[in-house]
Amino acid sequence: MTPLVFAFPGNEAAGQAIARTLDAELGQCEIRRFPDEESYVQIEAAVTGRAVAFVCTLDRPDQKFLPLAFAAATARTLGAASVGVVAPYLAYMRQDASFRPGDAISALHFGRFLSGSFDWLVTVDPHLHRLRSLDDIFAIPTTVVHAAPALSEWIRTNVRNPIVIGPDGESEQWVSQIAANLGAPYAVLQKERHGDRDVSITLPRTDLGLGRTPVLVDDMISTGVTMIEAMRHLQQVGARLPLCIGVHAIFADDAYSKLQQAGAANIVTCNTIAHVSNAIDLHGLLAEAVRAFLSPVTI
Ligand code: R5P
């Protein structure tokens, strides 16, 4: 039977690309809010016996998770053969430990919640810091799409003589791979986070390649303070105006305009969260990752 792909609001482009690539049907579902802010969910397609995928990127997750769980439960009630989720951005991965007594380890709980609703998950570069893999928190099969090859290709095409710079130790996993792909040098800065919007950055005693174009790469840009602090230090040591690349364009509040005002030469993101800065297309890679889960033999 032809698989069914449903795109949640804001995920239409990703849903269309996945359905088109996989020869799946793009189903209609209605997701809206009642006046009291409860969610209304209706699936307008025949799901009985079919493999179903919901596409819903999970930035601002608190507004999205409950309608998504309702949609998954409805698909099951209607007799779907399997129900998976494509979440190009996976939320709550940064809260992966208890930092103070009583802290919720939200990554763990969120993984459990999603595992309770879905048979499989596909995502892009989740923030894995203290977690070794998604298997640490998910009880269902997961596939991770890596953005680094696409980022490398974009830099190769658009930046002459780059040096790839990671703003903190966690970013070394991406920047080292991107730099190796490009045959370019890389450096990793040191970051200490003091609060949600308060980080301090120190420069390592390594060659920052001042004759090169600095390309700051991070997995996500949220408040933007990590990028802004990193740029401030680079400017102080006489580096050229940096280009900022984030995989996930979260951009809380006015983070995007603040980053522009701070002097970024350009701000580029992948289309895991729809944003004006999206310049790197990962929908084809997402579709290929979903293909295995929509094939009847794998479920
Ligand atoms: C954290 O370690 C991540 O890799 C990012 O550096 C961080 O989440 C970016 O957040 P913000 O834009 O709020 O500094």
Side-chain angles (χ1 to χ4, degrees), residues 68-98:
L68 186 60
F70 286 148
T74 306
R76 288 195 197 285
T77 305
L78 294 172
S82 61
V83 184
V85 61
V86 184
Y89 173 69
L90 183 57
Y92 283 116
M93 293 299 105
R94 288 181 292 175
Q95 188 68 33
D96 59 357
S98 198

mmCIF file of all heavy atoms in Angstrom, residues 68-98:
data_model
loop_
_atom_site.group_PDB
_atom_site.id
_atom_site.type_symbol
_atom_site.label_atom_id
_atom_site.label_comp_id
_atom_site.label_asym_id
_atom_site.label_seq_id
_atom_site.Cartn_x
_atom_site.Cartn_y
_atom_site.Cartn_z
ATOM 1 N N LEU A 68 0.873 16.563 18.045
ATOM 2 C CA LEU A 68 1.578 15.483 17.347
ATOM 3 C C LEU A 68 1.226 14.127 17.960
ATOM 4 O O LEU A 68 0.960 13.147 17.249
ATOM 5 C CB LEU A 68 3.092 15.755 17.437
ATOM 6 C CG LEU A 68 4.030 14.850 16.660
ATOM 7 C CD1 LEU A 68 3.738 14.895 15.164
ATOM 8 C CD2 LEU A 68 5.489 15.267 16.922
ATOM 9 N N ALA A 69 1.191 14.087 19.281
ATOM 10 C CA ALA A 69 0.827 12.832 19.964
ATOM 11 C C ALA A 69 -0.626 12.464 19.667
ATOM 12 O O ALA A 69 -0.952 11.287 19.465
ATOM 13 C CB ALA A 69 1.061 12.968 21.471
ATOM 14 N N PHE A 70 -1.500 13.473 19.608
ATOM 15 C CA PHE A 70 -2.906 13.200 19.260
ATOM 16 C C PHE A 70 -2.995 12.635 17.837
ATOM 17 O O PHE A 70 -3.760 11.708 17.566
ATOM 18 C CB PHE A 70 -3.746 14.481 19.323
ATOM 19 C CG PHE A 70 -4.064 14.962 20.717
ATOM 20 C CD1 PHE A 70 -4.197 16.320 20.987
ATOM 21 C CD2 PHE A 70 -4.252 14.077 21.761
ATOM 22 C CE1 PHE A 70 -4.500 16.773 22.259
ATOM 23 C CE2 PHE A 70 -4.549 14.519 23.046
ATOM 24 C CZ PHE A 70 -4.670 15.879 23.294
ATOM 25 N N ALA A 71 -2.225 13.219 16.926
ATOM 26 C CA ALA A 71 -2.268 12.768 15.524
ATOM 27 C C ALA A 71 -1.783 11.316 15.425
ATOM 28 O O ALA A 71 -2.385 10.491 14.721
ATOM 29 C CB ALA A 71 -1.402 13.682 14.653
ATOM 30 N N ALA A 72 -0.700 11.002 16.137
ATOM 31 C CA ALA A 72 -0.171 9.629 16.107
ATOM 32 C C ALA A 72 -1.214 8.658 16.668
ATOM 33 O O ALA A 72 -1.471 7.589 16.092
ATOM 34 C CB ALA A 72 1.125 9.554 16.911
ATOM 35 N N ALA A 73 -1.819 9.041 17.793
ATOM 36 C CA ALA A 73 -2.814 8.155 18.417
ATOM 37 C C ALA A 73 -4.023 7.980 17.493
ATOM 38 O O ALA A 73 -4.596 6.885 17.394
ATOM 39 C CB ALA A 73 -3.249 8.740 19.761
ATOM 40 N N THR A 74 -4.404 9.046 16.796
ATOM 41 C CA THR A 74 -5.548 8.963 15.878
ATOM 42 C C THR A 74 -5.225 8.034 14.706
ATOM 43 O O THR A 74 -6.061 7.214 14.296
ATOM 44 C CB THR A 74 -5.915 10.380 15.371
ATOM 45 O OG1 THR A 74 -6.123 11.218 16.507
ATOM 46 C CG2 THR A 74 -7.167 10.359 14.519
ATOM 47 N N ALA A 75 -4.009 8.162 14.172
ATOM 48 C CA ALA A 75 -3.611 7.277 13.061
ATOM 49 C C ALA A 75 -3.668 5.817 13.499
ATOM 50 O O ALA A 75 -4.119 4.938 12.758
ATOM 51 C CB ALA A 75 -2.216 7.645 12.582
ATOM 52 N N ARG A 76 -3.237 5.550 14.713
ATOM 53 C CA ARG A 76 -3.297 4.157 15.220
ATOM 54 C C ARG A 76 -4.745 3.705 15.369
ATOM 55 O O ARG A 76 -5.111 2.591 14.996
ATOM 56 C CB ARG A 76 -2.584 4.058 16.563
ATOM 57 C CG ARG A 76 -1.084 4.158 16.439
ATOM 58 C CD ARG A 76 -0.417 3.686 17.729
ATOM 59 N NE ARG A 76 0.956 4.148 17.761
ATOM 60 C CZ ARG A 76 1.940 3.616 17.045
ATOM 61 N NH1 ARG A 76 1.705 2.601 16.236
ATOM 62 N NH2 ARG A 76 3.169 4.094 17.130
ATOM 63 N N THR A 77 -5.571 4.587 15.938
ATOM 64 C CA THR A 77 -6.992 4.247 16.117
ATOM 65 C C THR A 77 -7.637 3.917 14.775
ATOM 66 O O THR A 77 -8.503 3.043 14.681
ATOM 67 C CB THR A 77 -7.738 5.444 16.762
ATOM 68 O OG1 THR A 77 -7.066 5.787 17.960
ATOM 69 C CG2 THR A 77 -9.180 5.106 17.080
ATOM 70 N N LEU A 78 -7.198 4.629 13.734
ATOM 71 C CA LEU A 78 -7.776 4.420 12.397
ATOM 72 C C LEU A 78 -7.141 3.226 11.681
ATOM 73 O O LEU A 78 -7.452 2.953 10.531
ATOM 74 C CB LEU A 78 -7.597 5.694 11.553
ATOM 75 C CG LEU A 78 -8.376 6.925 12.053
ATOM 76 C CD1 LEU A 78 -7.981 8.166 11.269
ATOM 77 C CD2 LEU A 78 -9.883 6.681 11.938
ATOM 78 N N GLY A 79 -6.184 2.550 12.344
ATOM 79 C CA GLY A 79 -5.664 1.296 11.795
ATOM 80 C C GLY A 79 -4.396 1.408 10.976
ATOM 81 O O GLY A 79 -4.094 0.521 10.162
ATOM 82 N N ALA A 80 -3.593 2.472 11.186
ATOM 83 C CA ALA A 80 -2.324 2.579 10.458
ATOM 84 C C ALA A 80 -1.448 1.367 10.763
ATOM 85 O O ALA A 80 -1.430 0.861 11.889
ATOM 86 C CB ALA A 80 -1.589 3.857 10.869
ATOM 87 N N ALA A 81 -0.702 0.918 9.755
ATOM 88 C CA ALA A 81 0.190 -0.232 9.957
ATOM 89 C C ALA A 81 1.381 0.160 10.816
ATOM 90 O O ALA A 81 1.887 -0.636 11.619
ATOM 91 C CB ALA A 81 0.673 -0.742 8.594
ATOM 92 N N SER A 82 1.858 1.378 10.658
ATOM 93 C CA SER A 82 2.972 1.887 11.468
ATOM 94 C C SER A 82 2.883 3.407 11.452
ATOM 95 O O SER A 82 2.311 4.004 10.528
ATOM 96 C CB SER A 82 4.325 1.443 10.900
ATOM 97 O OG SER A 82 4.488 1.945 9.585
ATOM 98 N N VAL A 83 3.429 4.020 12.493
ATOM 99 C CA VAL A 83 3.357 5.486 12.611
ATOM 100 C C VAL A 83 4.729 5.999 13.028
ATOM 101 O O VAL A 83 5.226 5.667 14.112
ATOM 102 C CB VAL A 83 2.302 5.920 13.662
ATOM 103 C CG1 VAL A 83 2.186 7.438 13.683
ATOM 104 C CG2 VAL A 83 0.947 5.282 13.377
ATOM 105 N N GLY A 84 5.346 6.796 12.164
ATOM 106 C CA GLY A 84 6.665 7.350 12.480
ATOM 107 C C GLY A 84 6.646 8.858 12.477
ATOM 108 O O GLY A 84 5.661 9.485 12.068
ATOM 109 N N VAL A 85 7.735 9.447 12.947
ATOM 110 C CA VAL A 85 7.830 10.910 12.973
ATOM 111 C C VAL A 85 9.156 11.354 12.376
ATOM 112 O O VAL A 85 10.207 10.776 12.663
ATOM 113 C CB VAL A 85 7.642 11.471 14.408
ATOM 114 C CG1 VAL A 85 8.704 10.972 15.378
ATOM 115 C CG2 VAL A 85 7.615 12.998 14.397
ATOM 116 N N VAL A 86 9.064 12.366 11.520
ATOM 117 C CA VAL A 86 10.249 13.025 10.981
ATOM 118 C C VAL A 86 10.317 14.368 11.682
ATOM 119 O O VAL A 86 9.488 15.252 11.445
ATOM 120 C CB VAL A 86 10.124 13.230 9.454
ATOM 121 C CG1 VAL A 86 11.410 13.838 8.908
ATOM 122 C CG2 VAL A 86 9.785 11.918 8.764
ATOM 123 N N ALA A 87 11.276 14.507 12.585
ATOM 124 C CA ALA A 87 11.446 15.753 13.339
ATOM 125 C C ALA A 87 12.819 16.302 12.973
ATOM 126 O O ALA A 87 13.824 15.978 13.637
ATOM 127 C CB ALA A 87 11.345 15.490 14.834
ATOM 128 N N PRO A 88 12.906 17.123 11.916
ATOM 129 C CA PRO A 88 14.226 17.590 11.487
ATOM 130 C C PRO A 88 15.021 18.248 12.624
ATOM 131 O O PRO A 88 16.235 18.083 12.716
ATOM 132 C CB PRO A 88 13.900 18.584 10.366
ATOM 133 C CG PRO A 88 12.592 18.090 9.819
ATOM 134 C CD PRO A 88 11.835 17.574 11.014
ATOM 135 N N TYR A 89 14.328 18.975 13.497
ATOM 136 C CA TYR A 89 14.985 19.455 14.722
ATOM 137 C C TYR A 89 14.354 18.728 15.903
ATOM 138 O O TYR A 89 13.135 18.690 16.043
ATOM 139 C CB TYR A 89 14.819 20.977 14.900
ATOM 140 C CG TYR A 89 15.351 21.426 16.243
ATOM 141 C CD1 TYR A 89 16.722 21.386 16.512
ATOM 142 C CD2 TYR A 89 14.498 21.821 17.270
ATOM 143 C CE1 TYR A 89 17.224 21.754 17.757
ATOM 144 C CE2 TYR A 89 14.996 22.194 18.521
ATOM 145 C CZ TYR A 89 16.354 22.156 18.751
ATOM 146 O OH TYR A 89 16.854 22.501 19.986
ATOM 147 N N LEU A 90 15.187 18.159 16.732
ATOM 148 C CA LEU A 90 14.710 17.407 17.896
ATOM 149 C C LEU A 90 14.981 18.223 19.158
ATOM 150 O O LEU A 90 16.137 18.508 19.490
ATOM 151 C CB LEU A 90 15.436 16.057 17.958
ATOM 152 C CG LEU A 90 15.036 15.100 19.067
ATOM 153 C CD1 LEU A 90 13.536 14.789 19.023
ATOM 154 C CD2 LEU A 90 15.839 13.816 18.966
ATOM 155 N N ALA A 91 13.907 18.583 19.844
ATOM 156 C CA ALA A 91 14.022 19.481 20.997
ATOM 157 C C ALA A 91 14.487 18.762 22.259
ATOM 158 O O ALA A 91 14.518 17.540 22.325
ATOM 159 C CB ALA A 91 12.651 20.100 21.266
ATOM 160 N N TYR A 92 14.836 19.541 23.236
ATOM 161 C CA TYR A 92 15.144 19.123 24.602
ATOM 162 C C TYR A 92 16.434 18.335 24.753
ATOM 163 O O TYR A 92 16.722 17.835 25.852
ATOM 164 C CB TYR A 92 13.972 18.331 25.223
ATOM 165 C CG TYR A 92 12.847 19.245 25.670
ATOM 166 C CD1 TYR A 92 11.592 19.184 25.092
ATOM 167 C CD2 TYR A 92 13.071 20.192 26.654
ATOM 168 C CE1 TYR A 92 10.581 20.042 25.475
ATOM 169 C CE2 TYR A 92 12.069 21.059 27.051
ATOM 170 C CZ TYR A 92 10.822 20.978 26.463
ATOM 171 O OH TYR A 92 9.834 21.834 26.849
ATOM 172 N N MET A 93 17.227 18.231 23.699
ATOM 173 C CA MET A 93 18.434 17.410 23.806
ATOM 174 C C MET A 93 19.523 18.073 24.656
ATOM 175 O O MET A 93 20.446 17.415 25.100
ATOM 176 C CB MET A 93 18.979 17.081 22.409
ATOM 177 C CG MET A 93 18.082 16.186 21.587
ATOM 178 S SD MET A 93 17.812 14.562 22.342
ATOM 179 C CE MET A 93 16.156 14.735 22.953
ATOM 180 N N ARG A 94 19.420 19.382 24.868
ATOM 181 C CA ARG A 94 20.459 20.038 25.673
ATOM 182 C C ARG A 94 20.269 19.805 27.164
ATOM 183 O O ARG A 94 21.210 19.926 27.928
ATOM 184 C CB ARG A 94 20.496 21.544 25.358
ATOM 185 C CG ARG A 94 21.068 21.819 23.984
ATOM 186 C CD ARG A 94 21.124 23.305 23.690
ATOM 187 N NE ARG A 94 19.794 23.877 23.554
ATOM 188 C CZ ARG A 94 19.535 25.164 23.389
ATOM 189 N NH1 ARG A 94 20.539 26.023 23.346
ATOM 190 N NH2 ARG A 94 18.314 25.608 23.238
ATOM 191 N N GLN A 95 19.044 19.471 27.564
ATOM 192 C CA GLN A 95 18.809 19.190 28.990
ATOM 193 C C GLN A 95 19.019 17.687 29.189
ATOM 194 O O GLN A 95 18.076 16.918 29.354
ATOM 195 C CB GLN A 95 17.387 19.629 29.380
ATOM 196 C CG GLN A 95 17.087 19.560 30.862
ATOM 197 C CD GLN A 95 17.867 20.574 31.698
ATOM 198 O OE1 GLN A 95 18.145 21.668 31.244
ATOM 199 N NE2 GLN A 95 18.237 20.184 32.910
ATOM 200 N N ASP A 96 20.290 17.281 29.130
ATOM 201 C CA ASP A 96 20.619 15.853 29.099
ATOM 202 C C ASP A 96 21.236 15.360 30.404
ATOM 203 O O ASP A 96 21.796 14.268 30.465
ATOM 204 C CB ASP A 96 21.566 15.564 27.922
ATOM 205 C CG ASP A 96 22.861 16.351 28.015
ATOM 206 O OD1 ASP A 96 23.004 17.157 28.959
ATOM 207 O OD2 ASP A 96 23.738 16.160 27.158
ATOM 208 N N ALA A 97 21.166 16.177 31.440
ATOM 209 C CA ALA A 97 21.701 15.776 32.738
ATOM 210 C C ALA A 97 21.000 16.602 33.805
ATOM 211 O O ALA A 97 20.370 17.620 33.508
ATOM 212 C CB ALA A 97 23.203 16.042 32.789
ATOM 213 N N SER A 98 21.119 16.137 35.033
ATOM 214 C CA SER A 98 20.576 16.890 36.148
ATOM 215 C C SER A 98 21.707 17.788 36.659
ATOM 216 O O SER A 98 22.691 17.299 37.205
ATOM 217 C CB SER A 98 20.117 15.898 37.223
ATOM 218 O OG SER A 98 19.238 16.497 38.104
#
